[in-house]
Amino acid sequence: LNVLKRLGYVDQSGMVELKGKVACEIHQAEVVLTELLVENKLSELSVPEVAAVLAATTAQLRKDEGVELNDRLAALARDVMEVAGRVSRVEVACAVEDTDALEELNWGLSELVEKWAQGVPFAQLMELSLAQEGTIVRCIQRLNEVSS
């Protein structure tokens, strides 16, 4: 509760603020994504770029299976990681254990998801990654859940 108070999700009496209401509608990496929305970090991005950022919250794969990020996505990842780092620092300051906003993010499929959102055929995506087909499909399905 202290983390949510410090970040402005609930007030001092425990009443849910606007940020808290927004976070309730998000189903993955709620605090980090809400911070990105409130700070207007996603507004200038294209739809494929937003999909790539959201994919970092849904990807579940080993680090060696991913695709290296292009320069634009690497810059976006740095921005998102800075926000996640701020959230993590508040969690640490509030003595929250077993949670790390930075560790919730996995950028391994972000470039593939960006290309998928640009209309690149799935077969072509498979040629770009060592990730199994099911892992990519699961990431895209979870991405749909996050954005719904």
Side-chain angles (χ1 to χ4, degrees):
L1 190 57
N2 288 335
V3 172
L4 298 178
K5 283 181 182 176
R6 285 178 92 174
L7 291 173
Y9 288 74
V10 295
D11 65 18
Q12 292 305 317
S13 66
M15 295 297 296
V16 178
E17 299 281 356
L18 178 61
K19 282 172 77 172
K21 291 176 183 178
V22 170
C24 286
E25 299 299 321
I26 299 173
H27 307 292
Q28 191 76 26
E30 298 87 352
V31 175
V32 172
L33 290 178
T34 299
E35 292 297 313
L36 291 170
L37 289 170
V38 170
E39 293 177 18
N40 223 17
K41 298 267 188 189
L42 304 177
S43 64
E44 299 295 320
L45 304 182
S46 67
V47 171
E49 289 170 333
V50 170
V53 168
L54 294 177
T57 70
T58 65
Q60 296 177 329
L61 75 159
R62 295 188 322 259
K63 300 291 183 191
D64 64 336
E65 292 179 322
V67 175
E68 192 166 324
L69 297 177
N70 62 41
D71 291 342
R72 174 71 177 136
L73 288 182
L76 290 174
R78 283 190 297 276
D79 284 348
V80 173
M81 299 295 270
E82 184 262 317
V83 170
R86 260 186 300 155
V87 170
S88 288
R89 287 189 293 280
V90 171
E91 291 171 340
V92 168
C94 292
V96 175
E97 296 179 17
D98 297 330
T99 181
D100 186 349
L102 287 167
E103 289 189 20
E104 289 182 17
L105 302 172
N106 184 325
W107 297 92
L109 293 178
S110 291
E111 188 156 350
L112 291 181
V113 168
E114 179 187 42
K115 291 181 183 312
W116 169 78
Q118 292 169 339
V120 173
F122 191 78
Q124 196 173 340
L125 295 178
M126 290 302 304
E127 296 172 5
L128 301 174
S129 174
L130 298 175
Q132 294 180 354
E133 186 174 306
T135 301
I136 297 170
V137 169
R138 192 167 34 259
C139 176
I140 292 170
Q141 287 175 326
R142 293 185 73 210
L143 177 61
N144 184 48
E145 294 168 10
V146 168
S147 62
S148 295

